[in-house]
Every structure is written in C-alpha cells, then in structure tokens.
Amino acid sequence: MDYKVEHIGIAVKNLQTSIPLFEKLLGSPCYKTEKIDSEEVNTAFFLQQNSKIELLESTDPSGVIAKFIDKKGEGMHHIAFEVPNIVEEMERLKKEGFTLLNERPKIGADNKWVCFVHPKETNGVLIELCQSR
Ligand code: ZN
C-alpha cells in the first residue's frame, strides 16, 4: 500500500490561541475550521498542498481530545494516511492483527471517510486512515 501523509493531527487546549500561533509558525493562514459533533472536536486546518496540519480542540471536557491532553498534554495526536480504498485497507489491517477503533468508516473532518487504528499495536502512534468522500 502506498501511503500518503494526508495530515498530522495536533491536540490543543484552545484554538483561539493556537490558530494565530500556527499561522505565525507556518506563515500561512488557517483556511478552514470545522466542528465535528461525532468526535466532540473543533478542528482548524493549515496548508493545502502536499499535506495538512489539523488542530483539534475538545468541545466536551470528557471528550477524547480533552482526555488525551489530561494524560499527555498538548501535542501530536495522530498521523492520517490517505488511502485509495478505506474499506479494503481496513480489511487488510484487521487481517494483519491491528485493532480498528471503528468497524465501519465514519464521517470525519474535511469531508472524508475515516477509520482509526489503535495505538497499542502501532508503537503508540494513533493512525487515521482517510479517503475523500
Ligand atoms: Zn485527523
């Protein structure tokens, strides 16, 4: 499988302060913000060409991003790979013994189908598979 890094997800406490910070860092404006109700997050996206940065802020104090920050602090949360056929790739990874965090692709940020792979079998890195809808 020829994986392409679609984006890197970064958990932040507060988008209001992190958006200007990343605009300064990357020298490019945040081009989109999006609230994902199913994941209890607000997202903000940067860069658009080869890859993206996705900032994630929890909308719920007991949401997954809030819990992640409680445990590990702000920082890198996941790497997302674009795959041509997410269902096939999920099947392949399941057969290889990886644990998928959702049984079917779900609708994620940026108009994509997504599936997460449990970090326990990936050296602690949460992996997101995504495919454009
Ligand atoms: Zn993501």
Coordinates of all heavy atoms in Angstrom, one line a residue, residues 71-121:
K71 N -3.9 13.4 29.9 CA -2.9 12.4 30.1 C -1.5 12.8 29.6 O -0.5 12.5 30.3 CB -3.4 11.1 29.4 CG -3.7 9.9 30.3 CD -3.6 8.6 29.7 CE -4.6 8.4 28.5 NZ -4.8 7.0 28.1
K72 N -1.5 13.3 28.4 CA -0.2 13.5 27.8 C 0.2 15.0 27.5 O 1.3 15.3 27.1 CB -0.2 12.8 26.4 CG -0.4 11.3 26.6 CD -0.2 10.6 25.3 CE -0.2 9.1 25.5 NZ -0.1 8.4 24.2
G73 N -0.8 15.9 27.8 CA -0.5 17.3 27.4 C -0.8 17.6 26.0 O -1.1 16.6 25.2
E74 N -0.7 18.8 25.6 CA -0.9 19.2 24.2 C 0.2 18.6 23.3 O 1.3 18.3 23.8 CB -0.9 20.7 24.0 CG -2.0 21.4 24.7 CD -1.9 22.9 24.5 OE1 -0.9 23.5 25.0 OE2 -2.8 23.5 23.9
G75 N -0.1 18.3 22.1 CA 0.9 17.8 21.2 C 0.4 16.9 20.1 O -0.8 16.8 19.9
M76 N 1.3 16.2 19.4 CA 0.9 15.4 18.3 C -0.1 14.3 18.8 O 0.2 13.6 19.7 CB 2.1 14.7 17.7 CG 2.0 14.7 16.2 SD 3.2 13.7 15.4 CE 2.4 12.1 15.6
H77 N -1.2 14.2 18.0 CA -2.2 13.3 18.4 C -2.3 12.1 17.5 O -2.5 11.0 17.9 CB -3.6 14.1 18.5 CG -4.7 13.2 18.9 ND1 -5.6 12.7 17.9 CD2 -5.1 12.7 20.1 CE1 -6.5 12.0 18.5 NE2 -6.3 12.0 19.8
H78 N -2.3 12.4 16.2 CA -2.3 11.3 15.2 C -1.7 11.6 13.9 O -1.5 12.8 13.6 CB -3.8 10.8 15.0 CG -4.7 11.9 14.4 ND1 -5.4 12.7 15.1 CD2 -5.0 12.1 13.1 CE1 -6.1 13.5 14.3 NE2 -5.9 13.2 13.0
I79 N -1.4 10.6 13.1 CA -1.0 10.8 11.7 C -2.1 10.2 10.8 O -2.5 9.1 11.1 CB 0.4 10.0 11.4 CG1 1.5 10.6 12.3 CG2 0.8 10.2 10.0 CD1 2.8 9.9 12.1
A80 N -2.5 10.9 9.8 CA -3.5 10.5 8.9 C -3.0 10.1 7.6 O -2.2 10.9 7.0 CB -4.6 11.5 8.8
F81 N -3.2 8.9 7.1 CA -2.8 8.5 5.8 C -4.0 8.4 4.8 O -5.1 7.9 5.2 CB -2.2 7.1 5.9 CG -0.9 7.1 6.6 CD1 -0.8 6.4 7.9 CD2 0.2 7.7 6.2 CE1 0.3 6.4 8.6 CE2 1.4 7.6 6.9 CZ 1.5 7.0 8.1
E82 N -3.8 9.0 3.7 CA -4.9 8.9 2.6 C -4.7 7.5 2.0 O -3.6 7.2 1.6 CB -4.7 10.0 1.6 CG -5.6 9.9 0.4 CD -6.7 10.9 0.5 OE1 -6.5 12.1 0.7 OE2 -7.9 10.4 0.3
V83 N -5.8 6.8 1.8 CA -5.8 5.5 1.2 C -6.8 5.5 0.0 O -7.8 6.2 0.2 CB -6.0 4.3 2.1 CG1 -4.9 4.2 3.1 CG2 -7.4 4.4 2.8
P84 N -6.6 4.8 -1.1 CA -7.5 4.8 -2.2 C -8.8 4.1 -1.9 O -9.8 4.5 -2.4 CB -6.8 4.1 -3.3 CG -5.6 3.5 -2.7 CD -5.3 4.1 -1.4
N85 N -8.7 3.1 -1.0 CA -10.0 2.3 -0.7 C -9.9 2.0 0.8 O -9.3 1.0 1.2 CB -10.0 1.1 -1.6 CG -11.3 0.3 -1.3 OD1 -11.9 0.3 -0.2 ND2 -11.8 -0.3 -2.4
I86 N -10.6 2.8 1.6 CA -10.5 2.6 3.0 C -11.1 1.3 3.5 O -10.5 0.7 4.4 CB -11.2 3.8 3.7 CG1 -10.8 3.9 5.2 CG2 -12.7 3.8 3.6 CD1 -11.1 5.2 5.9
V87 N -12.1 0.8 2.9 CA -12.7 -0.5 3.3 C -11.7 -1.6 3.1 O -11.5 -2.5 4.0 CB -14.0 -0.7 2.6 CG1 -14.6 -2.1 2.9 CG2 -15.1 0.3 2.9
E88 N -11.1 -1.6 1.9 CA -10.1 -2.7 1.7 C -8.9 -2.6 2.6 O -8.4 -3.6 3.1 CB -9.5 -2.5 0.2 CG -10.1 -3.3 -0.8 CD -9.6 -3.1 -2.2 OE1 -8.4 -2.7 -2.3 OE2 -10.4 -3.2 -3.2
E89 N -8.5 -1.4 2.9 CA -7.3 -1.2 3.8 C -7.7 -1.6 5.2 O -6.9 -2.2 5.9 CB -6.9 0.3 3.7 CG -5.6 0.6 4.4 CD -4.4 -0.3 3.8 OE1 -4.6 -0.9 2.7 OE2 -3.4 -0.3 4.4
M90 N -8.9 -1.3 5.6 CA -9.4 -1.7 7.0 C -9.4 -3.3 7.1 O -8.9 -3.8 8.1 CB -10.8 -1.2 7.3 CG -10.8 0.3 7.5 SD -12.5 1.0 7.5 CE -13.2 0.3 9.0
E91 N -9.8 -3.9 6.0 CA -9.8 -5.4 6.0 C -8.4 -5.9 6.1 O -8.1 -6.8 6.8 CB -10.4 -5.9 4.7 CG -11.9 -5.9 4.7 CD -12.5 -6.7 5.8 OE1 -12.1 -7.8 6.1 OE2 -13.4 -6.1 6.5
R92 N -7.5 -5.3 5.3 CA -6.1 -5.8 5.3 C -5.5 -5.6 6.7 O -4.8 -6.6 7.2 CB -5.3 -4.9 4.3 CG -3.9 -5.4 4.1 CD -3.0 -4.6 3.2 NE -2.7 -3.3 3.8 CZ -1.6 -3.2 4.6 NH1 -0.8 -4.2 4.9 NH2 -1.3 -2.0 5.2
L93 N -5.7 -4.5 7.3 CA -5.1 -4.2 8.7 C -5.7 -5.2 9.7 O -5.0 -5.7 10.6 CB -5.3 -2.8 9.1 CG -4.4 -1.8 8.2 CD1 -4.7 -0.4 8.7 CD2 -2.9 -2.1 8.4
K94 N -7.0 -5.4 9.6 CA -7.6 -6.4 10.5 C -7.0 -7.7 10.4 O -6.7 -8.4 11.4 CB -9.1 -6.5 10.2 CG -10.0 -6.0 11.4 CD -11.4 -6.4 11.3 CE -12.1 -5.7 10.1 NZ -13.6 -5.8 10.1
K95 N -6.8 -8.2 9.2 CA -6.2 -9.5 8.9 C -4.7 -9.5 9.5 O -4.2 -10.6 9.9 CB -6.2 -9.8 7.4 CG -7.5 -10.4 7.0 CD -7.3 -11.1 5.6 CE -8.7 -11.1 4.9 NZ -8.7 -10.4 3.6
E96 N -4.1 -8.4 9.4 CA -2.7 -8.3 10.0 C -2.7 -8.2 11.5 O -1.6 -8.2 12.1 CB -2.0 -7.1 9.4 CG -1.7 -7.1 7.9 CD -0.6 -8.1 7.5 OE1 0.0 -8.7 8.3 OE2 -0.4 -8.2 6.2
G97 N -3.8 -8.2 12.1 CA -3.9 -8.2 13.6 C -4.0 -6.9 14.2 O -3.8 -6.8 15.5
F98 N -4.2 -5.8 13.5 CA -4.3 -4.5 14.1 C -5.7 -4.3 14.6 O -6.7 -4.9 14.1 CB -4.0 -3.4 13.1 CG -2.6 -3.3 12.7 CD1 -2.1 -4.0 11.5 CD2 -1.6 -2.7 13.5 CE1 -0.8 -4.0 11.2 CE2 -0.3 -2.7 13.1 CZ 0.1 -3.3 12.0
T99 N -5.9 -3.5 15.6 CA -7.2 -3.2 16.2 C -7.8 -1.9 15.6 O -7.1 -0.9 15.8 CB -7.1 -3.1 17.7 OG1 -6.5 -4.3 18.2 CG2 -8.5 -2.9 18.3
L100 N -8.9 -2.0 15.0 CA -9.5 -0.8 14.4 C -10.5 -0.2 15.5 O -11.2 -1.0 16.1 CB -10.3 -1.1 13.1 CG -9.5 -1.8 12.0 CD1 -10.3 -2.1 10.8 CD2 -8.2 -1.0 11.7
L101 N -10.5 1.1 15.6 CA -11.3 1.7 16.6 C -12.8 1.9 16.1 O -13.6 2.2 16.9 CB -10.7 3.0 17.1 CG -9.4 2.9 17.8 CD1 -8.8 4.2 18.2 CD2 -9.6 2.0 19.1
N102 N -13.0 1.8 14.8 CA -14.4 1.7 14.3 C -14.5 0.6 13.3 O -13.6 0.5 12.5 CB -14.9 3.1 13.9 CG -13.9 3.9 13.0 OD1 -12.8 4.3 13.5 ND2 -14.3 4.1 11.8
E103 N -15.6 -0.1 13.3 CA -15.8 -1.2 12.5 C -16.1 -0.8 11.0 O -15.8 -1.5 10.1 CB -17.0 -2.1 13.0 CG -16.6 -3.0 14.1 CD -15.6 -4.1 13.6 OE1 -15.9 -4.8 12.7 OE2 -14.5 -4.2 14.2
R104 N -16.7 0.3 10.9 CA -17.0 0.9 9.5 C -16.4 2.2 9.4 O -16.3 2.9 10.4 CB -18.5 1.0 9.4 CG -19.3 -0.2 9.3 CD -20.8 0.0 9.5 NE -21.4 -1.2 10.0 CZ -21.9 -2.1 9.1 NH1 -21.7 -2.0 7.8 NH2 -22.4 -3.2 9.6
P105 N -16.1 2.7 8.2 CA -15.6 4.0 8.0 C -16.7 5.0 8.5 O -17.9 4.8 8.4 CB -15.5 4.2 6.5 CG -15.5 2.8 6.0 CD -16.3 1.9 6.9
K106 N -16.2 6.0 9.2 CA -17.2 7.1 9.7 C -16.8 8.4 9.1 O -15.7 8.6 8.5 CB -17.3 7.1 11.2 CG -16.0 7.4 11.9 CD -16.2 7.4 13.4 CE -14.9 7.7 14.1 NZ -15.0 7.7 15.6
I107 N -17.8 9.3 9.1 CA -17.5 10.6 8.5 C -16.7 11.5 9.5 O -17.1 11.7 10.6 CB -18.9 11.3 8.2 CG1 -19.6 10.5 7.1 CG2 -18.7 12.7 7.7 CD1 -21.0 11.0 6.9
G108 N -15.5 11.9 9.0 CA -14.6 12.7 9.8 C -14.5 14.1 9.2 O -15.4 14.6 8.4
A109 N -13.5 14.8 9.6 CA -13.3 16.2 9.2 C -13.0 16.3 7.7 O -12.6 15.3 7.1 CB -12.2 16.9 10.0
D110 N -13.2 17.4 7.1 CA -12.7 17.7 5.8 C -13.4 16.8 4.7 O -12.7 16.4 3.7 CB -11.2 17.5 5.8 CG -10.5 18.4 4.8 OD1 -11.1 19.4 4.3 OD2 -9.3 18.1 4.4
N111 N -14.6 16.4 5.0 CA -15.4 15.6 4.0 C -14.7 14.3 3.7 O -14.6 13.9 2.5 CB -15.6 16.5 2.8 CG -16.8 16.0 2.0 OD1 -17.8 15.4 2.6 ND2 -16.8 16.1 0.7
K112 N -14.3 13.6 4.7 CA -13.6 12.3 4.4 C -14.2 11.2 5.2 O -14.8 11.4 6.3 CB -12.1 12.4 4.8 CG -11.4 13.4 4.0 CD -9.9 13.2 4.2 CE -9.1 14.3 3.4 NZ -9.4 14.3 2.0
W113 N -14.1 10.0 4.7 CA -14.3 8.8 5.5 C -13.1 8.5 6.3 O -12.0 8.6 5.7 CB -14.6 7.6 4.5 CG -15.8 7.6 3.8 CD1 -16.0 7.8 2.4 CD2 -17.2 7.5 4.3 NE1 -17.3 7.8 2.1 CE2 -18.1 7.6 3.2 CE3 -17.7 7.4 5.6 CZ2 -19.4 7.6 3.3 CZ3 -19.1 7.3 5.7 CH2 -19.9 7.4 4.6
V114 N -13.3 8.1 7.5 CA -12.1 7.9 8.4 C -12.2 6.6 9.2 O -13.4 6.2 9.5 CB -11.8 9.1 9.3 CG1 -11.6 10.4 8.6 CG2 -12.9 9.3 10.4
C115 N -11.1 6.1 9.6 CA -11.1 5.0 10.5 C -9.8 5.1 11.3 O -8.7 5.4 10.7 CB -11.1 3.6 9.8 SG -10.9 2.2 10.9
F116 N -9.8 4.9 12.6 CA -8.6 5.0 13.4 C -8.1 3.6 13.8 O -8.9 2.6 14.0 CB -9.0 5.8 14.7 CG -9.1 7.3 14.4 CD1 -10.4 7.8 14.1 CD2 -8.0 8.1 14.4 CE1 -10.5 9.1 13.8 CE2 -8.2 9.5 14.1 CZ -9.4 10.0 13.8
V117 N -6.8 3.5 13.9 CA -6.2 2.2 14.3 C -5.6 2.4 15.7 O -4.9 3.4 15.9 CB -5.0 1.9 13.3 CG1 -4.4 0.5 13.6 CG2 -5.5 1.9 11.8
H118 N -5.9 1.5 16.5 CA -5.5 1.6 18.0 C -4.0 1.7 18.1 O -3.2 0.9 17.5 CB -6.0 0.4 18.7 CG -6.0 0.6 20.2 ND1 -4.9 0.8 21.0 CD2 -7.1 0.8 21.1 CE1 -5.2 1.0 22.2 NE2 -6.6 1.0 22.3
P119 N -3.5 2.7 18.9 CA -2.1 2.9 19.1 C -1.3 1.7 19.8 O -0.1 1.7 19.7 CB -1.9 4.2 19.8 CG -3.3 4.4 20.5 CD -4.3 3.7 19.7
K120 N -2.0 0.8 20.4 CA -1.3 -0.2 21.2 C -0.5 -1.1 20.3 O 0.5 -1.7 20.7 CB -2.3 -1.0 22.0 CG -3.2 -2.0 21.3 CD -4.2 -2.7 22.2 CE -5.1 -3.5 21.3 NZ -6.2 -4.2 22.1
E121 N -0.9 -1.3 19.0 CA -0.1 -2.1 18.1 C 0.7 -1.3 17.1 O 1.2 -1.9 16.2 CB -1.1 -3.0 17.3 CG -1.7 -4.1 18.2 CD -3.2 -4.2 18.1 OE1 -3.8 -3.4 17.4 OE2 -3.8 -5.1 18.8

